[in-house]
Amino acid sequence: DPAAGNTDALDPWDRVLGDIRLNAQKCIDARLEAINLLKVTLNSPDDALPSEAPVPLQQTGKQLDKLQAEMAECQTLLLEARTLGDDIRSAQQNVLKFRLLGRGPDLWTVAITNLRQANTLPAAVQAFLLDRMQIKHLRSISWTLLVMLSTLGVGLGLWWRRWWRSRLMQGPAEGISAALSTSLQACFARRLPLILGLTAATGVLLLALPAVPVPPSVALLISVLVYLGGLTLSQSLLNPCPPAVYFLGMDPAYARAISRRIHGLLFLVLALILIYSTGIRDTLTAEHWYLIRAVFFTIATLQLMWLVSTIHGAPSPLNNRKLRGIIVLLLLAGLVIELLGYRNLSWYLFRGLIGTALL
């Protein structure tokens, strides 16, 4: 049944059948080689006496019949393994086709339903923050410690950033390695107050909340810290923070544009990580989830189209007009498919496009 099928259960059998086909083919090749050798022996002149000739010929004939029977069994096994493999691939294709072409409610139906259920959204948000994010486990002293240490981290970051920038301005960097080091330090110092504040908050939550499993609120803060690290690295390479200067060979304007687009893609990846790591989908109704998906796909489509427009100024062969046109059409088609309710198909298309963009 394609509606209830699970192709994950068929994957191990596909590998097993592949091994069976390989071994069966080896069996056929070995038996065929032995049969050919026996036929050469039967056709060769026999120097033995006539009275002794029928005995070895009879043994050779029996051995030949045995090899032919074994080869027939291997051929049957190979044929059955191929048939079963074809059936498994056909079942996987049917399940995939059913999932990709399965249609849910379109955007208009989702919007009307969300308007009717608007009064349930505050309760869902409250349940997500208190229960799913485990904020309800924080006591008053934990809240006080969280605010104090976060504020202290931000203040320390502001002072450290001022000192770090004054130190970087004392002497210009010479060479690519020195320029890269200066750029990394400058961009890290720019986000240092936020990084220290989030690090302090993460430490307090790790101490105040249950350690196993990792609280979603801690996973959220760690994801944001990783996102800030990615921003710092990309900006250090393509759009250095003052007082660092640009040091790569490509056009500075094009590098700055690419840096902004990379920031947008990192934000999309962060949003996906937060959605699936915090379990927000479990606290929302299906209609609320569909609306969030529609908003996300709209933003992602605009962001990827913005990236494609930036490639217009890239060196050859990335500036191919036909390639850009095809990507834009696929993006728009994916957005329309999502809004019409074919969410599995749109996600399949969008995942391939965003993976291509990141590569």
Side-chain angles (χ1 to χ4, degrees):
D1 182 11
N6 184 9
T7 58
D8 295 338
L10 297 177
D11 293 338
W13 290 105
D14 195 11
R15 292 191 292 268
V16 170
L17 289 175
D19 295 337
I20 292 176
R21 289 194 299 268
L22 180 61
N23 293 328
Q25 188 62 51
K26 290 181 179 179
C27 171
I28 293 173
D29 295 338
R31 300 307 185 275
L32 184 60
E33 182 179 359
I35 289 172
N36 292 333
L37 289 176
L38 286 176
K39 287 182 178 180
V40 171
T41 302
L42 289 173
N43 295 330
S44 62
D46 193 1
D47 297 333
L49 297 175
S51 59
E52 299 177 355
V55 177
L57 288 175
Q58 185 178 6
Q59 293 178 353
T60 304
K62 290 182 179 180
Q63 188 175 2
L64 180 61
D65 294 339
K66 180 181 178 182
L67 290 174
Q68 289 176 343
E70 292 177 353
M71 188 175 70
E73 292 179 358
C74 293
Q75 289 174 340
T76 303
L77 182 61
L78 178 62
L79 180 60
E80 292 178 352
R82 286 178 176 175
T83 303
L84 288 176
D86 294 338
D87 293 340
I88 288 177
R89 284 189 291 272
S90 178
Q92 290 174 334
Q93 291 174 1
N94 290 333
V95 172
L96 180 61
K97 185 186 300 183
F98 181 86
R99 290 179 178 177
L100 292 181
L101 298 181
R103 185 180 183 184
D106 55 24
L107 180 62
W108 176 256
T109 305
V110 169
I112 295 299
T113 306
N114 275 276
L115 289 176
R116 294 174 179 174
Q117 299 178 355
N119 57 343
T120 63
L121 186 59
V125 174
Q126 183 179 5
F128 172 73
L129 293 176
L130 295 180
D131 297 331
R132 186 64 187 177
M133 302 298 288
Q134 300 183 3
I135 301 299
K136 63 181 182 181
H137 294 291
L138 292 178
R139 300 178 180 178
S140 58
I141 187 172
S142 301
W143 280 107
T144 304
L145 187 62
L146 176 66
V147 174
M148 289 179 58
L149 290 182
S150 299
T151 306
L152 180 62
V154 172
L156 180 62
L158 291 172
W159 173 82
W160 202 347
R161 182 176 65 181
R162 189 181 304 110
W163 173 82
W164 210 335
R165 284 182 174 177
S166 63
R167 180 174 173 271
L168 292 175
M169 294 178 64
Q170 292 178 359
E174 297 181 358
I176 295 180
S177 299
L180 176 59
S181 176
T182 302
S183 180
L184 285 172
Q185 295 180 58
C187 292
F188 181 76
R190 180 180 180 179
R191 297 180 175 87
L192 190 58
L194 183 58
I195 291 176
L196 290 182
L198 291 176
T199 303
T202 303
V204 172
L205 292 178
L206 281 174
L207 294 176
L209 297 178
V212 179
V214 177
S217 54
V218 175
L220 186 149
L221 294 179
I222 293 176
S223 300
V224 174
L225 288 172
V226 174
Y227 168 71
L228 293 176
L231 291 183
T232 301
L233 180 60
S234 64
Q235 189 171 6
S236 301
L237 292 172
L238 300 172
N239 188 22
C241 306
V245 295
Y246 183 72
F247 56 90
L248 294 180
M250 69 174 67
D251 183 19
Y254 177 67
R256 287 193 297 270
I258 290 293
S259 176
R260 290 192 292 268
R261 307 313 184 262
I262 290 177
H263 290 180
L265 291 177
L266 288 175
F267 177 77
L268 293 178
V269 174
L270 173 66
L272 288 175
I273 293 174
L274 294 182
I275 288 173
Y276 286 100
S277 64
T278 58
I280 188 174
R281 182 177 181 180
D282 298 333
T283 61
L284 298 175
T285 63
E287 288 73 17
H288 291 156
W289 171 246
Y290 292 154
L291 184 61
I292 291 177
R293 275 182 60 113
V295 173
F296 174 81
F297 269 86
T298 302
I299 297 175
T301 301
L302 295 176
Q303 180 64 45
L304 290 174
M305 290 177 64
W306 192 24
L307 176 64
V308 172
S309 66
T310 304
I311 299 178
H312 178 74
S316 180
L318 297 178
N319 59 351
N320 189 296
R321 182 178 299 178
K322 292 182 180 180
L323 177 61
R324 295 199 311 272
I326 292 174
I327 294 177
V328 169
L329 289 177
L330 289 176
L331 289 172
L332 294 176
L335 180 60
V336 172
I337 290 171
E338 170 70 21
L339 299 181
L340 289 177
Y342 297 96
R343 292 176 177 84
N344 292 331
L345 180 59
S346 64
W347 173 244
Y348 183 82
L349 181 61
F350 173 77
R351 185 172 55 184
L353 289 175
I354 195 171
T356 303
L358 290 175
L359 290 177

